[in-house]
Amino acid sequence: MKKLTSIILIALAAIGFAQEDINYQIPPPEILELVDFQRAPTISMDSKKEQIVFMYRNTYKTLAEISEDEMRLAGLRINPKTNISSTVTYVNNIQYKRFKDKNPVQIKGLPENPRLANFAWSPDETKIAFTHTAQNGVELWFVDFKTLTAKKLTDARVNANLGNPITWFKNENSILVRMLPKDKKELVDTKTALPTGPIVTVSDGSLAQNRTYQDLLKNRADEENFDILTTSELYKIDLNGNSKLWKERAIYNGEIFSPDGNYIMISTIERPYSYIVPLGRFPLVTNIYDQNGKLITEFNQKPLIEDMPKGFMAVQTGKRSISWRADKPATLIFAEALDGGDPANEVEFRDEVFQIEAPFNGKPESIAKTIGRYSGITWGNENYALMHDYWWNTRNTKTYLINPSDFSQKPKIIEDRNYQDQYSDPGTPETKRNEYGRYVLDIQDDNIFLLGEGFTEKGQFPFVDELNLKTLKANRLYQSNLTNKKEDISSILDIKKGEILVRMESKNEYPNYYVRNIKKKTAPVQITYFENPFKKIENVHKEVIKYKREDGLELSGTLYLPVGYDIKKKEKLPMIMWAYPAEYKDKSSAGQTTSNPNEFTFPYYGSPIYWVTRGYVVLDDAAFPIVGEGDEEPNDTFVEQLVANAKAAIDAVDKLGYIDRNRVAVGGHSYGAFMTANLLSHSDLFAAGIARSGAYNRTLTPFGFQSEERNYWEAPDIYNTMSPFMHADKMKTPLLLIHGNDDNNSGTYTMQSERYFNALKGFGAPTRLVILPKESHGYAAKESILHVIWEQDQWLEKYVKNRKIEN
């Protein structure tokens, strides 16, 4: 009988699965006006804040761009014709200005149809190098800020398949560049190549509980193509375009000069490769060379890592986090796990940190041990440095004060807090560029400076604190008191003069940079002049509302009312709620508000804000905390908390008198899509839902997902209860499913939406599946984005705004 029922359901699904012949559509004019805008440039400043480079990009890619050739190998997506990642977003123009000049100057001599990427300032910050992707490959270019003219240095043979291929030599005007070998082999045609044998993968009995990765190697042809595309030769190229082979071919994965420029740490990827993990887990050899390319020492060999202990805090054994000490000419730092890399092992200290000086042939010196997992050191001077650790399971982070001149002194813990507790965040230490060109603590008379975001129960008020490292007492030098603008403190320009660099915005004023004098307290001096491209919604009503969940947990969301809405009349309108769940280990942190009503209203392709132009109330970034305190994990009560969060949000806006609670939609992207499907499956709160690029069957990600560390066999009830796919038989609310056909995100295979759609269709749920050709987890092409917004608008108009209530 069960078999017969299954056959009938499959047959019904097949009958009802109808393809719709549709071309790319565009949204209505009031939305299109907001979507079709020119993106403001991003900026890059030198360390002294004297020069600014403006980088302009197209707002969107085109369908033609994302349809270029692509190969997917070991977690990479590569354009095999041009030899650069197929996911790069290019800069198409650059301009330059001195810091206090008003208008930028156009850089001359740029290539025709610029596709620029991989920007790298020269050590003396008088030049900037970058790549240009031509039709047949990648070229190296640079700009000298004295002439403001771009110059081409190489032909189209630069190899950018493994990321930025540019490294400046420290003490001369030359660049170390990854170049394709001149005798590069032809790629293997995987469609026509005859197999030489079966694909065999072996387990030796070791635990290998890996998450679900995309774009892995699949066969020997993939391995050979990976070798061909990632193999480079290192060339030394001067600014006249003269080139010299500096290092023979290898799969170069990182080249970092020592602070004094006399040594270089080079990492290469080696065999054997893996078909179950991406290239970040492949064997990696790290060697140290002098500036002429002579081998000094074979420093580390990391093996293939297919089997790791369970948990987010699991790490490899042996040396890891290898880096140069920023305050010394040539000293290497690295960490080693003291718990075998296994978070399940109970030990006093998790990691030990070591250093070793040039020529790297002595015994490494122990710097310190960390209680949590080592996460880095912010170096300072001969007396002070800050070491950091964290432990995900408890959401704890610690900062240790260490003495770089005497590591026998016990590190002093000066910060020990829950890193999700935004209200207690003491701020980030300000750094400055030292004589080696590295960033270290800005220390003045035993004082450092902390720049804080300033989230409080009453709002956001960023600050600058002066912290004395001898007494550990803090003195507040400045705190923003703006209530009608949002102010972010970017950096300190000159603390003695009282000058800081800030970015200021309001809900209808585009973000711009200013110099503020915290001593003279004069009006801020504007540095950039970017204009608001969204004038149409600049006066839309916007506020952060706070409300409580039924268990008393404080929640919040950003509420928008439609253009021209009369608050006095309080017409009851349809509403769109958009959210993304977040896991917490304590209710105090979960209940904090980090939304600022003065943040600029910036609609982007994934935003619901467009629909304020279509007569909808919008509740964006609605808080959806999932809390599990003590021994309880957040996901133990995931569904119950989701529904409680949603009900609290609807109740709050309904109480304000703005909405018809029978016409409320919910939507989200990725884990927000997963949330949406669960809400529709387990509540009757919504008229419809929009789920983009989600995963709906957690048994297809059996070794963990999102913040869930337990595997399926340890917690089958959790996986099944949280999977909307398992509850398709009781889901009757209209659901729009959208997914990129080439999703590259771990776990969110396009198949997840396809199979969920088939299940819903089989049980008669109103649903629509939209697959976007050539798109990944995030959507890039203008044609796709306009169509996604059109689909969402059509869905909302049909099932929410014009919902018919059955008696």
Side-chain angles (χ1 to χ4, degrees):
M1 186 65 186
K2 288 183 178 179
K3 185 177 180 181
L4 177 61
T5 302
S6 299
I7 293 172
I8 293 172
L9 287 176
I10 293 170
L12 288 173
I15 292 170
F17 192 102
Q19 301 298 325
E20 184 175 306
D21 186 13
I22 187 172
N23 294 323
Y24 287 103
Q25 301 293 308
I26 61 174
E30 55 266 45
I31 292 181
L32 184 61
E33 182 180 341
L34 297 174
V35 181
D36 198 7
F37 71 100
Q38 178 57 52
R39 183 199 299 262
T42 55
I43 65 173
S44 177
M45 299 186 188
D46 69 340
S47 63
K48 296 179 181 179
K49 303 297 186 290
E50 294 175 349
Q51 307 172 98
I52 306 177
V53 176
F54 293 77
M55 303 177 184
Y56 296 84
R57 294 175 170 86
N58 290 328
T59 306
Y60 309 108
K61 292 185 178 182
T62 65
L63 197 57
E65 286 179 285
I66 69 168
S67 298
E68 291 178 354
D69 290 346
E70 182 180 73
M71 297 190 76
R72 302 171 189 178
L73 302 166
L76 298 172
R77 293 197 170 185
I78 293 171
N79 183 323
K81 181 178 179 181
T82 55
N83 291 291
I84 191 169
S85 170
S86 56
T87 63
V88 170
T89 300
Y90 291 109
V91 169
N92 58 27
N93 189 25
I94 51 177
Q95 296 180 341
Y96 169 91
K97 84 178 185 79
R98 304 292 296 180
F99 192 68
K100 294 188 177 179
D101 293 344
K102 182 170 182 179
N103 297 314
V105 177
Q106 177 63 46
I107 299 296
K108 302 184 292 289
L110 290 173
E112 187 177 353
N113 300 318
R115 296 207 294 173
L116 315 179
N118 300 307
F119 289 83
W121 289 77
S122 63
D124 63 3
E125 299 184 309
T126 64
K127 306 169 188 69
I128 194 166
F130 53 88
T131 61
H132 164 59
T133 302
Q135 288 187 346
N136 61 334
V138 177
E139 305 164 344
L140 175 65
W141 289 65
F142 86 102
V143 168
D144 188 327
F145 295 136
K146 291 181 181 179
T147 63
L148 297 179
T149 300
K151 180 180 178 181
K152 177 181 170 182
L153 293 177
T154 72
D155 59 13
R157 203 162 56 85
V158 174
N159 189 350
N161 286 327
L162 283 177
N164 194 335
I166 299 171
T167 304
W168 284 89
F169 280 84
K170 169 74 175 180
N171 300 317
E172 50 188 298
N173 285 322
S174 295
I175 305 171
L176 188 64
V177 185
R178 296 180 203 161
M179 303 287 286
L180 293 166
K182 291 183 179 179
D183 58 350
K184 176 191 169 190
K185 295 181 181 179
E186 291 294 321
L187 292 169
V188 177
D189 186 341
T190 55
K191 294 181 180 179
T192 60
L194 292 175
T196 58
I199 299 166
V200 179
T201 306
V202 177
S203 171
D204 63 1
S206 301
L207 293 177
Q209 299 187 6
N210 297 303
R211 293 211 163 193
T212 310
Y213 298 110
Q214 308 267 42
D215 302 337
L216 299 176
L217 299 179
K218 299 180 181 66
N219 48 50
R220 294 175 192 175
D222 278 355
E223 289 190 53
E224 188 169 348
N225 284 335
F226 176 79
D227 278 335
I228 294 169
L229 288 168
T230 58
T231 296
S232 301
E233 295 170 335
L234 292 180
Y235 277 79
K236 183 176 182 180
I237 299 173
D238 67 25
L239 299 188
N240 293 315
N242 300 312
S243 66
K244 177 183 179 182
L245 180 65
W246 193 83
K247 207 78 193 147
E248 64 281 355
R249 69 178 63 202
I251 302 179
Y252 294 104
N253 192 50
E255 306 86 42
I256 307 174
F257 277 102
S258 60
D260 65 3
N262 292 330
Y263 301 92
I264 183 169
M265 176 170 58
I266 295 180
S267 297
T268 58
I269 294 174
E270 308 288 340
R271 285 179 176 267
Y273 303 148
S274 172
Y275 293 2
I276 64 173
V277 294
L279 70 111
R281 305 270 285 272
F282 288 4
L284 193 71
V285 172
T286 300
N287 293 333
I288 310 300
Y289 300 85
D290 68 15
Q291 59 185 329
N292 297 314
K294 178 184 177 183
L295 178 66
I296 301 299
T297 184
E298 296 175 349
F299 190 71
N300 190 49
Q301 291 189 3
K302 185 190 82 173
L304 173 66
I305 302 175
E306 289 187 331
D307 52 336
M308 288 269 283
K310 191 183 71 172
F312 295 132
M313 289 289 91
V315 295
Q316 68 189 66
T317 55
K319 298 183 182 73
R320 72 173 206 280
S321 302
I322 304 170
S323 63
W324 293 106
R325 183 169 162 176
D327 63 334
K328 291 289 185 180
T331 298
L332 286 168
I333 303 294
F334 61 92
E336 291 194 9
L338 297 175
D339 57 5
D342 189 345
N345 293 331
E346 295 295 334
V347 294
E348 183 179 4
F349 296 102
R350 293 288 174 181
D351 285 338
E352 187 168 10
V353 186
F354 298 89
Q355 73 170 13
I356 184 169
E357 298 180 352
F360 320 107
N361 53 11
K363 181 180 179 180
E365 177 187 7
S366 176
I367 291 177
K369 296 178 180 179
T370 59
I371 297 170
R373 196 63 80 199
Y374 169 75
S375 60
I377 296 176
T378 308
W379 295 98
N381 57 21
E382 66 277 4
N383 297 316
Y384 302 113
L386 299 179
M387 182 173 66
H388 315 279
D389 75 12
Y390 77 108
W391 197 248
W392 180 87
N393 305 71
T394 57
R395 312 304 197 265
N396 179 264
T397 183
K398 294 180 180 65
T399 298
Y400 306 75
L401 182 62
I402 59 177
N403 184 343
S405 299
D406 185 3
F407 292 123
S408 66
Q409 293 186 24
K410 184 178 179 180
K412 181 184 293 185
I413 297 175
I414 64 172
E415 179 187 342
D416 186 353
R417 54 182 288 272
N418 182 333
Y419 59 73
Q420 289 185 315
D421 180 2
Q422 299 292 328
Y423 293 174
S424 70
D425 190 344
T428 302
E430 176 74 344
T431 59
K432 67 177 181 180
R433 197 166 183 261
N434 65 9
E435 67 270 28
Y436 301 118
R438 304 301 171 91
Y439 284 86
V440 297
L441 293 169
D442 185 0
I443 302 175
Q444 299 183 26
D445 300 326
D446 299 315
N447 296 313
I448 62 172
F449 306 95
L450 302 174
L451 310 184
E453 293 185 289
F455 290 111
T456 72
E457 291 183 1
K458 297 181 179 179
Q460 185 181 7
F461 306 99
F463 60 84
V464 179
D465 278 355
E466 180 183 65
L467 177 67
N468 187 280
L469 294 177
K470 279 189 174 180
T471 65
L472 297 182
K473 292 183 178 179
N475 173 40
R476 185 139 298 179
L477 301 180
Y478 172 74
Q479 182 155 19
S480 176
N481 60 3
L482 298 178
T483 57
N484 62 342
K485 291 181 184 291
K486 181 177 186 286
E487 179 176 22
D488 294 304
I489 302 170
S490 300
S491 63
I492 294 173
L493 300 177
D494 189 327
I495 198 65
K496 291 181 179 178
K497 292 182 181 179
E499 292 181 342
I500 63 174
L501 181 67
V502 301
R503 194 179 85 150
M504 295 173 61
E505 62 191 279
S506 73
K507 60 185 178 183
N508 53 19
E509 293 178 13
Y510 198 88
N512 274 291
Y513 287 89
Y514 298 77
V515 174
R516 178 184 286 282
N517 194 304
I518 61 177
K519 286 187 175 180
K520 295 181 180 179
K521 299 181 180 179
T522 51
V525 177
Q526 191 166 353
I527 300 300
T528 62
Y529 297 85
F530 306 133
E531 295 185 358
N532 180 3
F534 308 112
K535 298 283 188 182
K536 184 180 181 68
I537 59 170
E538 65 179 354
N539 294 317
V540 163
H541 176 88
K542 176 182 181 180
E543 63 175 309
V544 173
I545 62 170
K546 297 182 180 182
Y547 47 95
K548 289 186 178 182
R549 203 166 73 178
E550 59 187 5
D551 61 357
L553 185 64
E554 295 279 353
L555 303 175
S556 65
T558 304
L559 182 70
Y560 300 84
L561 300 180
V563 175
Y565 183 82
D566 189 337
I567 294 180
K568 293 180 180 179
K569 291 183 179 179
K570 289 193 175 180
E571 179 187 358
K572 292 186 179 296
L573 299 176
M575 182 175 82
I576 307 166
M577 179 194 304
W578 209 263
Y580 191 95
E583 296 85 352
Y584 295 86
K585 287 299 292 179
D586 70 294
K587 288 185 177 180
S588 176
S589 299
Q592 294 180 355
T593 301
T594 57
S595 298
N596 190 323
N598 297 312
E599 186 174 10
F600 178 71
T601 303
F602 196 124
Y604 65 99
Y605 87 85
S607 167
I609 297 171
Y610 297 117
W611 281 272
V612 295
T613 67
R614 299 278 286 162
Y616 293 83
V617 173
V618 174
L619 185 64
D620 194 18
D621 198 23
F624 266 72
I626 309 297
V627 186
E629 295 188 304
D631 293 333
E632 184 183 68
E633 290 297 323
N635 285 342
D636 291 348
T637 52
F638 179 83
V639 170
E640 295 90 334
Q641 293 193 64
L642 273 190
V643 175
N645 291 329
K647 184 177 183 303
I650 294 172
D651 287 346
V653 185
D654 186 31
K655 187 176 180 180
L656 293 172
Y658 300 141
I659 63 168
D660 173 0
R661 64 182 303 140
N662 291 313
R663 294 187 294 158
V664 177
V666 62
H669 189 94
S670 194
Y671 207 56
F674 174 70
M675 170 206 75
T676 297
N678 265 303
L679 284 171
L680 300 192
S681 298
H682 299 287
S683 76
D684 58 359
L685 295 169
F686 299 99
I690 299 170
R692 296 196 313 246
S693 298
Y696 308 103
N697 183 351
R698 285 306 171 190
T699 68
L700 298 179
T701 55
F703 289 108
F705 58 90
Q706 202 72 4
S707 294
E708 180 56 64
E709 287 189 305
R710 295 168 293 187
N711 66 45
Y712 173 77
W713 295 270
E714 292 174 315
D717 289 344
I718 298 298
Y719 278 69
N720 288 321
T721 300
M722 290 180 65
S723 295
F725 181 86
M726 304 303 181
H727 308 282
D729 58 330
K730 60 184 180 184
M731 215 293 277
K732 302 300 180 185
T733 307
L735 176 61
L736 173 62
L737 293 165
I738 302 174
H739 217 119
N741 192 56
D742 299 320
D743 197 313
N744 60 342
N745 185 55
S746 177
T748 55
Y749 290 105
T750 308
M751 173 185 68
Q752 287 271 3
S753 286
E754 292 171 335
R755 290 190 176 179
Y756 187 40
F757 172 82
N758 281 329
L760 293 175
K761 191 75 173 174
F763 286 106
T767 186
R768 180 180 176 90
L769 174 63
V770 180
I771 301 295
L772 303 172
K774 305 296 183 179
E775 293 290 356
S776 298
H777 192 61
Y779 315 144
K782 184 175 182 178
E783 295 91 335
S784 300
I785 288 166
L786 293 178
H787 186 83
V788 164
I789 295 172
W790 176 83
E791 289 279 2
Q792 293 176 155
D793 185 68
Q794 295 290 303
W795 197 255
L796 292 168
E797 290 290 296
K798 180 176 181 178
Y799 289 109
V800 182
K801 182 184 285 186
N802 297 302
R803 182 188 186 190
K804 295 178 182 179
I805 308 296
E806 296 182 1
N807 296 325

